[in-house]
Amino acid sequence: MSDQVVQTIDTELRDRILHGLGELLPRVLKRDLPEIPENACLFDDLGLTSASIIELILEIEEALDIQVDVEQIGEDDLRSVTSLADYVAGHVIAED
């Protein structure tokens, strides 16, 4: 048995995040984008920077009225649109 912690991901929220990313990426990048494949690399394919990633996460939080724990975000979580959506869906901070 592995010691890895398995994050439970709310698939409905993940779908909303993916949809939101599709709408927010052109705004954050300040340019039109053709349809964005879910496996698009955030840095190489889309040209995001670490600063624009932060802006993108803040935009997602605002658009979906959620708060995301970014303390543990890692390089692998920022590899693609899908990995970012998985991270965000798995690291929403529950409001008290």
Side-chain angles (χ1 to χ4, degrees):
M1 193 123 120
S2 147
D3 288 342
Q4 284 186 322
V5 175
V6 176
Q7 288 288 339
T8 54
I9 293 179
D10 178 336
T11 53
E12 182 187 329
L13 176 60
R14 182 183 178 275
D15 290 344
R16 287 175 48 219
I17 293 164
L18 280 170
H19 180 76
L21 286 169
E23 291 183 359
L24 296 170
L25 276 164
R27 185 185 320 167
V28 169
L29 291 168
K30 296 173 181 46
R31 62 183 164 92
D32 287 337
L33 292 171
E35 191 167 322
I36 303 163
E38 290 184 7
N39 64 348
C41 177
L42 295 173
F43 294 105
D44 295 340
D45 297 337
L46 300 176
L48 268 78
T49 62
S50 51
S52 56
I53 291 279
I54 300 297
E55 184 182 345
L56 182 61
I57 291 172
L58 291 172
E59 292 274 356
I60 283 283
E61 288 179 328
E62 189 174 316
L64 299 179
D65 195 27
I66 58 174
Q67 196 171 359
V68 179
D69 177 8
V70 292
E71 295 294 316
Q72 299 168 18
I73 199 164
E75 196 177 317
D76 285 345
D77 302 313
L78 302 174
R79 229 172 260 302
S80 69
V81 174
T82 307
S83 62
L84 179 59
D86 288 344
Y87 180 86
V88 171
H91 291 82
V92 172
I93 299 170
E95 295 188 25
D96 295 332

